[in-house]
Coordinates of all heavy atoms in Angstrom, one line a residue:
D20 N 54.5 175.6 107.1 CA 55.9 175.8 107.2 C 56.4 175.7 108.7 O 57.6 175.9 108.9 CB 56.4 177.1 106.6 CG 55.7 178.3 107.0 OD1 55.8 178.7 108.2 OD2 54.9 178.8 106.2
N21 N 55.5 175.5 109.6 CA 55.9 175.3 111.0 C 56.3 173.9 111.3 O 57.0 173.7 112.3 CB 54.8 175.7 112.0 CG 54.9 177.1 112.5 OD1 55.7 177.9 112.1 ND2 54.0 177.5 113.3
I22 N 55.9 173.0 110.5 CA 56.2 171.6 110.7 C 57.3 171.1 109.9 O 57.4 171.3 108.7 CB 55.0 170.7 110.5 CG1 53.8 171.1 111.5 CG2 55.3 169.2 110.7 CD1 52.5 170.4 111.3
N23 N 58.3 170.4 110.5 CA 59.4 169.8 109.7 C 59.5 168.3 110.1 O 60.4 167.9 110.8 CB 60.7 170.6 110.1 CG 61.9 170.1 109.4 OD1 61.8 169.4 108.4 ND2 63.1 170.5 109.8
P24 N 58.6 167.5 109.5 CA 58.6 166.1 109.9 C 59.6 165.3 109.1 O 59.9 165.6 108.0 CB 57.2 165.7 109.6 CG 56.7 166.5 108.5 CD 57.4 167.9 108.7
S25 N 60.0 164.2 109.7 CA 60.8 163.2 108.9 C 59.7 162.2 108.6 O 59.4 161.3 109.4 CB 61.9 162.6 109.8 OG 62.8 163.6 110.2
I26 N 59.0 162.3 107.5 CA 57.9 161.5 107.2 C 58.3 160.2 106.6 O 59.1 160.1 105.7 CB 57.0 162.3 106.1 CG1 56.4 163.6 106.7 CG2 55.8 161.3 105.7 CD1 55.7 164.4 105.7
N27 N 57.7 159.1 107.3 CA 58.0 157.8 106.8 C 56.9 157.3 105.9 O 57.1 156.6 104.9 CB 58.1 156.8 108.0 CG 59.2 157.2 108.9 OD1 60.3 157.6 108.4 ND2 59.1 156.9 110.2
N28 N 55.6 157.7 106.2 CA 54.5 157.2 105.5 C 53.3 158.1 105.7 O 53.1 158.5 106.9 CB 54.2 155.8 105.9 CG 53.2 155.1 105.0 OD1 52.8 155.6 103.9 ND2 52.7 153.9 105.4
V29 N 52.5 158.4 104.7 CA 51.2 159.1 104.9 C 50.1 158.3 104.3 O 50.2 157.9 103.1 CB 51.3 160.5 104.2 CG1 50.0 161.2 104.3 CG2 52.4 161.4 104.7
T30 N 49.1 158.0 105.1 CA 48.0 157.1 104.7 C 46.7 157.7 105.2 O 46.6 158.0 106.4 CB 48.2 155.7 105.2 OG1 49.4 155.2 104.8 CG2 47.1 154.8 104.7
D31 N 45.8 158.0 104.4 CA 44.4 158.5 104.8 C 44.5 159.7 105.7 O 43.8 159.8 106.7 CB 43.6 157.4 105.4 CG 43.3 156.3 104.5 OD1 43.2 156.5 103.3 OD2 43.3 155.1 104.9
G32 N 45.5 160.6 105.4 CA 45.6 161.8 106.3 C 46.4 161.6 107.6 O 46.5 162.6 108.3
T33 N 46.9 160.5 107.8 CA 47.7 160.2 109.0 C 49.1 160.2 108.6 O 49.6 159.6 107.7 CB 47.3 158.8 109.6 OG1 46.0 158.8 109.9 CG2 48.2 158.5 110.8
I34 N 49.9 161.0 109.4 CA 51.4 161.1 109.2 C 52.1 160.2 110.2 O 51.9 160.4 111.4 CB 51.9 162.5 109.3 CG1 51.2 163.4 108.3 CG2 53.4 162.6 109.2 CD1 51.6 164.9 108.4
N35 N 52.8 159.3 109.8 CA 53.7 158.4 110.6 C 55.1 159.0 110.5 O 55.7 158.9 109.5 CB 53.7 157.0 110.2 CG 52.3 156.4 110.3 OD1 51.6 156.5 111.3 ND2 51.8 155.7 109.3
A36 N 55.5 159.6 111.6 CA 56.8 160.3 111.6 C 57.6 159.9 112.8 O 57.1 159.7 113.9 CB 56.6 161.8 111.5
E37 N 58.9 160.0 112.6 CA 59.9 159.7 113.7 C 59.9 160.9 114.6 O 59.9 160.8 115.9 CB 61.2 159.4 113.1 CG 62.2 159.0 114.2 CD 63.6 158.6 113.6 OE1 63.5 157.8 112.6 OE2 64.6 159.1 114.1
D38 N 60.0 162.1 114.1 CA 60.0 163.4 114.9 C 59.2 164.4 114.1 O 59.2 164.5 112.9 CB 61.5 163.9 115.0 CG 62.4 163.0 115.8 OD1 62.1 162.8 116.9 OD2 63.4 162.6 115.2
I39 N 58.5 165.3 114.9 CA 57.9 166.4 114.4 C 58.4 167.6 115.2 O 58.2 167.6 116.4 CB 56.4 166.4 114.4 CG1 55.9 165.2 113.6 CG2 55.7 167.7 114.0 CD1 54.4 165.0 113.6
V40 N 59.1 168.5 114.6 CA 59.7 169.7 115.3 C 58.9 170.9 114.9 O 58.7 171.2 113.7 CB 61.2 169.8 114.8 CG1 61.8 171.0 115.5 CG2 62.0 168.5 115.1
L41 N 58.5 171.6 115.9 CA 57.6 172.8 115.8 C 58.4 174.1 116.2 O 59.2 174.0 117.2 CB 56.3 172.7 116.6 CG 55.5 171.5 116.3 CD1 54.3 171.4 117.3 CD2 54.9 171.5 114.9
K42 N 58.1 175.2 115.6 CA 58.5 176.5 116.1 C 57.7 176.7 117.4 O 56.7 176.1 117.7 CB 58.3 177.6 115.1 CG 59.2 177.4 113.9 CD 58.9 178.5 112.9 CE 59.8 178.3 111.7 NZ 59.6 179.4 110.7
D43 N 58.2 177.7 118.2 CA 57.5 178.0 119.5 C 56.1 178.5 119.3 O 55.2 178.1 120.0 CB 58.3 179.1 120.3 CG 59.6 178.5 120.8 OD1 59.8 177.3 120.8 OD2 60.4 179.4 121.2
G44 N 55.8 179.3 118.3 CA 54.5 179.9 118.1 C 54.1 180.9 119.2 O 55.0 181.4 119.9
S45 N 52.9 181.4 119.1 CA 52.4 182.4 120.1 C 50.9 182.2 120.2 O 50.3 181.3 119.6 CB 52.6 183.8 119.5 OG 51.9 184.0 118.3
A46 N 50.3 182.9 121.1 CA 48.8 182.8 121.3 C 48.1 183.1 120.0 O 47.1 182.5 119.7 CB 48.4 183.7 122.5
S47 N 48.5 184.1 119.3 CA 47.8 184.6 118.1 C 48.1 183.7 116.9 O 47.4 183.6 115.9 CB 48.2 186.0 117.7 OG 49.5 186.1 117.5
K48 N 49.3 182.9 116.9 CA 49.6 182.0 115.9 C 50.3 180.8 116.5 O 51.5 180.7 116.4 CB 50.5 182.7 114.9 CG 50.8 181.9 113.6 CD 51.6 182.7 112.6 CE 51.8 181.8 111.4 NZ 52.7 182.5 110.4
P49 N 49.5 179.9 117.1 CA 50.1 178.7 117.7 C 50.9 177.8 116.8 O 50.6 177.8 115.6 CB 48.9 177.9 118.2 CG 47.8 178.9 118.3 CD 48.1 179.9 117.2
A50 N 51.9 177.2 117.3 CA 52.8 176.3 116.5 C 52.0 175.1 115.9 O 52.1 174.7 114.8 CB 54.0 175.8 117.3
L51 N 51.1 174.6 116.7 CA 50.2 173.5 116.3 C 48.8 174.1 116.3 O 48.2 174.4 117.3 CB 50.3 172.3 117.3 CG 49.5 171.1 116.9 CD1 49.9 170.5 115.6 CD2 49.6 170.0 118.0
R52 N 48.2 174.3 115.1 CA 47.0 175.0 114.9 C 46.1 174.3 113.9 O 46.6 173.4 113.2 CB 47.2 176.4 114.6 CG 47.9 176.7 113.3 CD 48.3 178.2 113.2 NE 49.0 178.4 112.0 CZ 50.3 178.4 111.9 NH1 51.1 178.1 113.0 NH2 51.0 178.7 110.8
F53 N 44.9 174.8 113.7 CA 44.0 174.2 112.8 C 43.8 175.0 111.5 O 43.8 176.3 111.6 CB 42.6 174.0 113.5 CG 42.7 173.1 114.7 CD1 42.9 173.7 115.9 CD2 42.6 171.8 114.6 CE1 43.0 172.9 117.1 CE2 42.7 171.0 115.7 CZ 42.9 171.5 116.9
A54 N 43.6 174.4 110.4 CA 43.5 175.1 109.1 C 42.3 176.1 109.1 O 42.4 177.2 108.6 CB 43.3 174.1 107.9
N55 N 41.2 175.7 109.7 CA 40.0 176.6 109.7 C 39.9 177.4 111.0 O 38.9 178.1 111.2 CB 38.7 175.8 109.5 CG 38.7 175.2 108.1 OD1 39.1 175.8 107.1 ND2 38.3 173.9 108.0
D56 N 40.9 177.4 111.9 CA 40.8 178.1 113.1 C 42.3 178.4 113.5 O 42.8 177.9 114.5 CB 40.1 177.3 114.2 CG 39.8 178.2 115.4 OD1 40.0 179.4 115.4 OD2 39.2 177.6 116.4
P57 N 43.0 179.3 112.8 CA 44.4 179.4 112.9 C 44.9 180.1 114.2 O 46.1 180.1 114.5 CB 44.9 180.3 111.7 CG 43.6 181.0 111.4 CD 42.5 180.1 111.7
D58 N 44.0 180.6 115.1 CA 44.4 181.2 116.3 C 44.0 180.3 117.5 O 44.0 180.8 118.7 CB 43.9 182.6 116.5 CG 42.4 182.8 116.5 OD1 41.7 181.7 116.3 OD2 41.9 183.9 116.6
T59 N 43.8 179.1 117.3 CA 43.5 178.1 118.3 C 44.5 176.9 118.2 O 44.6 176.4 117.1 CB 42.1 177.6 118.2 OG1 41.2 178.7 118.4 CG2 41.8 176.5 119.2
G60 N 45.1 176.6 119.3 CA 46.1 175.4 119.3 C 47.1 175.5 120.4 O 46.8 176.0 121.5
L61 N 48.2 174.9 120.2 CA 49.3 174.8 121.3 C 50.5 175.6 120.9 O 50.9 175.7 119.7 CB 49.8 173.3 121.4 CG 48.7 172.3 121.8 CD1 49.2 170.9 121.5 CD2 48.5 172.4 123.3
F62 N 51.1 176.2 121.9 CA 52.4 177.0 121.7 C 53.2 176.9 122.9 O 52.8 176.5 124.0 CB 52.1 178.4 121.2 CG 51.5 179.3 122.3 CD1 52.4 180.2 123.0 CD2 50.2 179.3 122.6 CE1 51.9 181.0 124.0 CE2 49.7 180.2 123.6 CZ 50.5 181.0 124.3
R63 N 54.5 177.3 122.7 CA 55.5 177.3 123.8 C 56.1 178.7 124.0 O 56.8 179.2 123.2 CB 56.6 176.3 123.4 CG 57.7 176.2 124.3 CD 58.9 175.4 123.7 NE 60.1 175.5 124.5 CZ 61.0 176.4 124.4 NH1 61.0 177.3 123.5 NH2 62.1 176.4 125.2
P64 N 55.7 179.4 125.1 CA 56.2 180.7 125.3 C 57.6 180.8 125.8 O 58.2 181.8 125.8 CB 55.2 181.4 126.2 CG 54.7 180.2 127.0 CD 54.7 179.0 126.1
G65 N 58.1 179.7 126.4 CA 59.4 179.7 127.0 C 59.7 178.3 127.4 O 58.9 177.3 127.3
G66 N 60.9 178.1 127.9 CA 61.4 176.7 128.3 C 60.5 176.0 129.3 O 60.0 176.6 130.3
D67 N 60.2 174.8 129.0 CA 59.4 173.9 129.9 C 58.0 174.4 130.2 O 57.4 174.1 131.2 CB 60.1 173.7 131.2 CG 61.4 173.0 131.0 OD1 61.5 172.2 130.1 OD2 62.4 173.2 131.8
H68 N 57.4 175.2 129.3 CA 56.0 175.7 129.4 C 55.2 175.3 128.2 O 55.7 175.4 127.1 CB 55.9 177.2 129.6 CG 56.5 177.7 130.9 ND1 57.8 177.8 131.2 CD2 55.8 178.1 132.0 CE1 58.0 178.2 132.4 NE2 56.8 178.4 133.0
L69 N 54.0 174.9 128.4 CA 53.1 174.5 127.3 C 51.8 175.3 127.5 O 51.2 175.2 128.5 CB 52.8 173.0 127.2 CG 51.9 172.5 126.1 CD1 52.5 172.8 124.7 CD2 51.6 171.1 126.3
Y70 N 51.4 176.1 126.5 CA 50.2 176.9 126.6 C 49.2 176.4 125.5 O 49.6 176.0 124.4 CB 50.5 178.4 126.3 CG 51.0 179.1 127.6 CD1 52.1 178.6 128.3 CD2 50.5 180.3 127.9 CE1 52.5 179.3 129.4 CE2 50.9 181.0 129.0 CZ 52.0 180.5 129.8 OH 52.4 181.2 130.9
F71 N 48.0 176.6 125.8 CA 46.9 176.4 124.9 C 46.3 177.8 124.6 O 46.1 178.6 125.5 CB 45.8 175.5 125.5 CG 46.2 174.1 125.7 CD1 47.0 173.7 126.8 CD2 45.9 173.1 124.8 CE1 47.4 172.4 127.0 CE2 46.3 171.8 125.0 CZ 47.1 171.4 126.0
A72 N 45.9 178.0 123.3 CA 45.3 179.2 122.9 C 44.0 179.0 122.3 O 43.8 177.9 121.6 CB 46.2 180.0 121.9
A73 N 43.0 179.9 122.4 CA 41.7 179.8 121.8 C 41.4 181.3 121.4 O 41.4 182.2 122.3 CB 40.7 179.2 122.6
G74 N 41.0 181.5 120.2 CA 40.7 182.9 119.8 C 41.8 183.8 119.9 O 41.6 185.0 120.1
G75 N 43.1 183.3 119.8 CA 44.3 184.2 119.9 C 44.7 184.6 121.3 O 45.5 185.4 121.5
K76 N 44.0 184.0 122.3 CA 44.3 184.3 123.7 C 44.8 183.1 124.4 O 44.3 182.0 124.2 CB 43.1 184.9 124.4 CG 42.6 186.2 123.8 CD 41.4 186.7 124.5 CE 40.8 187.8 123.9 NZ 40.8 189.0 123.5
E77 N 45.6 183.3 125.4 CA 46.1 182.2 126.3 C 44.9 181.7 127.1 O 44.2 182.5 127.8 CB 47.2 182.6 127.2 CG 48.4 183.1 126.5 CD 49.4 183.8 127.4 OE1 49.1 184.0 128.6 OE2 50.4 184.2 126.9
V78 N 44.6 180.4 127.1 CA 43.4 179.9 127.9 C 43.9 178.9 128.9 O 43.2 178.6 129.9 CB 42.3 179.3 127.0 CG1 41.7 180.4 126.2 CG2 42.8 178.2 126.1
M79 N 45.1 178.3 128.7 CA 45.6 177.3 129.7 C 47.1 177.2 129.6 O 47.6 177.3 128.5 CB 44.9 175.9 129.5 CG 45.2 174.9 130.6 SD 44.3 173.4 130.4 CE 45.5 172.4 129.5
A80 N 47.7 177.0 130.7 CA 49.2 176.9 130.8 C 49.6 175.7 131.6 O 48.9 175.4 132.7 CB 49.8 178.1 131.4
I81 N 50.6 175.0 131.2 CA 51.1 173.8 132.0 C 52.6 174.1 132.2 O 53.4 174.3 131.3 CB 50.9 172.5 131.2 CG1 49.4 172.3 131.0 CG2 51.5 171.4 132.0 CD1 49.1 171.1 130.1
N82 N 53.0 174.0 133.5 CA 54.4 174.2 133.9 C 54.8 172.9 134.6 O 54.5 172.8 135.8 CB 54.5 175.4 134.8 CG 55.9 175.6 135.2 OD1 56.8 174.8 135.1 ND2 56.2 176.7 135.9
P83 N 55.5 172.0 134.0 CA 55.9 170.8 134.6 C 56.8 170.8 135.8 O 56.8 169.9 136.6 CB 56.5 170.0 133.4 CG 57.0 171.0 132.5 CD 56.1 172.1 132.6
S84 N 57.6 171.9 135.9 CA 58.5 171.9 137.0 C 57.8 172.1 138.4 O 58.3 171.7 139.4 CB 59.5 173.1 136.8 OG 58.9 174.3 136.8
S85 N 56.6 172.7 138.3 CA 55.9 172.8 139.6 C 54.5 172.1 139.5 O 53.7 172.3 140.3 CB 55.6 174.3 139.9 OG 54.8 174.9 138.9
S86 N 54.3 171.3 138.4 CA 53.0 170.6 138.2 C 51.9 171.6 138.3 O 50.8 171.3 138.8 CB 52.9 169.5 139.2 OG 53.9 168.5 139.1
L87 N 52.1 172.8 137.7 CA 51.0 173.8 137.8 C 50.3 173.8 136.5 O 50.8 173.9 135.4 CB 51.7 175.2 138.0 CG 50.8 176.4 138.0 CD1 49.9 176.3 139.2 CD2 51.6 177.7 138.1
I88 N 48.9 173.8 136.6 CA 48.1 174.0 135.5 C 47.2 175.3 135.8 O 46.6 175.3 136.8 CB 47.1 172.8 135.2 CG1 48.0 171.6 134.9 CG2 46.2 173.1 134.1 CD1 47.2 170.3 134.8
S89 N 47.3 176.2 134.9 CA 46.5 177.5 135.1 C 45.5 177.6 134.0 O 45.8 177.3 132.8 CB 47.4 178.7 135.1 OG 48.4 178.6 136.1
F90 N 44.3 178.1 134.3 CA 43.3 178.4 133.3 C 43.0 179.9 133.4 O 43.0 180.5 134.4 CB 42.0 177.7 133.6 CG 42.2 176.2 133.6 CD1 42.5 175.5 134.8 CD2 42.0 175.5 132.4 CE1 42.7 174.1 134.7 CE2 42.1 174.1 132.4 CZ 42.5 173.4 133.5
F91 N 42.9 180.5 132.2 CA 42.8 182.0 132.1 C 41.4 182.3 131.5 O 40.9 181.7 130.7 CB 43.8 182.6 131.2 CG 45.2 182.2 131.5 CD1 45.9 181.2 130.8 CD2 45.9 182.7 132.6 CE1 47.2 180.8 131.1 CE2 47.2 182.3 133.0 CZ 47.8 181.4 132.2
A92 N 40.9 183.5 132.0 CA 39.6 184.0 131.5 C 39.8 185.5 131.4 O 40.1 186.2 132.4 CB 38.4 183.7 132.4
S93 N 39.6 186.1 130.3 CA 39.7 187.6 130.1 C 41.1 188.1 130.6 O 41.1 189.2 131.2 CB 38.6 188.3 130.8 OG 37.3 187.8 130.3
G94 N 42.1 187.4 130.4 CA 43.5 187.8 130.7 C 43.8 187.6 132.2 O 44.9 187.9 132.6
S95 N 43.0 187.1 133.0 CA 43.3 186.8 134.4 C 43.3 185.3 134.7 O 42.5 184.6 134.1 CB 42.2 187.5 135.3 OG 42.1 188.9 135.1
T96 N 44.1 184.9 135.7 CA 44.1 183.5 136.1 C 43.0 183.3 137.0 O 42.8 184.0 138.0 CB 45.4 183.2 136.8 OG1 46.5 183.5 136.0 CG2 45.5 181.8 137.3
F97 N 42.1 182.3 136.7 CA 40.9 182.1 137.5 C 41.0 180.7 138.2 O 40.2 180.5 139.1 CB 39.6 182.3 136.8 CG 39.3 181.3 135.8 CD1 38.5 180.2 136.2 CD2 39.6 181.4 134.5 CE1 38.2 179.2 135.2 CE2 39.2 180.5 133.5 CZ 38.5 179.4 133.9
F98 N 42.0 179.9 137.8 CA 42.1 178.6 138.5 C 43.6 178.1 138.3 O 44.1 178.2 137.2 CB 41.2 177.6 138.0 CG 41.4 176.2 138.5 CD1 40.9 175.9 139.8 CD2 42.1 175.2 137.8 CE1 41.1 174.6 140.4 CE2 42.2 174.0 138.4 CZ 41.8 173.7 139.6
S99 N 44.2 177.7 139.4 CA 45.5 177.0 139.3 C 45.5 175.8 140.2 O 44.9 175.9 141.3 CB 46.6 178.0 139.7 OG 46.8 179.0 138.8
S100 N 46.1 174.8 139.7 CA 46.2 173.6 140.6 C 47.7 173.2 140.7 O 48.5 173.5 139.9 CB 45.4 172.4 140.1 OG 45.9 172.0 138.8

């Protein structure tokens, strides 16, 4: 129920869609996640930020306004570029 696609065609598990609109999600329940690993995927914590989660924790963040990519380990930032 997080995905609201305008589906044009589905073939062999591939969705051809004009738009796919996702809810923001969270680290524990990413908006784009896997059926067998529901706490791993992509989510949006706020405007212009994209985060990756693994095991329900933030593991990487992308902030396009400053071209900043941060990697997290045990809740602390250990690398930023």
Side-chain angles (χ1 to χ4, degrees):
D20 52 69
N21 265 3
I22 299 176
N23 183 14
S25 302
I26 297 175
N27 297 327
N28 190 10
V29 177
T30 306
D31 297 326
T33 301
I34 297 175
N35 296 312
E37 186 174 313
D38 295 300
I39 296 177
V40 178
L41 304 172
K42 294 181 180 180
D43 290 345
S45 65
S47 61
K48 189 175 180 183
L51 183 60
R52 59 187 179 271
F53 301 91
N55 293 321
D56 194 2
D58 60 358
T59 296
L61 299 164
F62 70 100
R63 177 189 172 270
D67 299 327
H68 290 78
L69 179 64
Y70 277 51
F71 292 79
K76 298 182 188 296
E77 300 168 356
V78 294
M79 189 172 93
I81 300 172
N82 177 351
S84 64
S85 65
S86 300
L87 177 67
I88 299 175
S89 300
F90 298 90
F91 307 105
S93 302
S95 300
T96 301
F97 72 91
F98 174 79
S99 291
S100 66

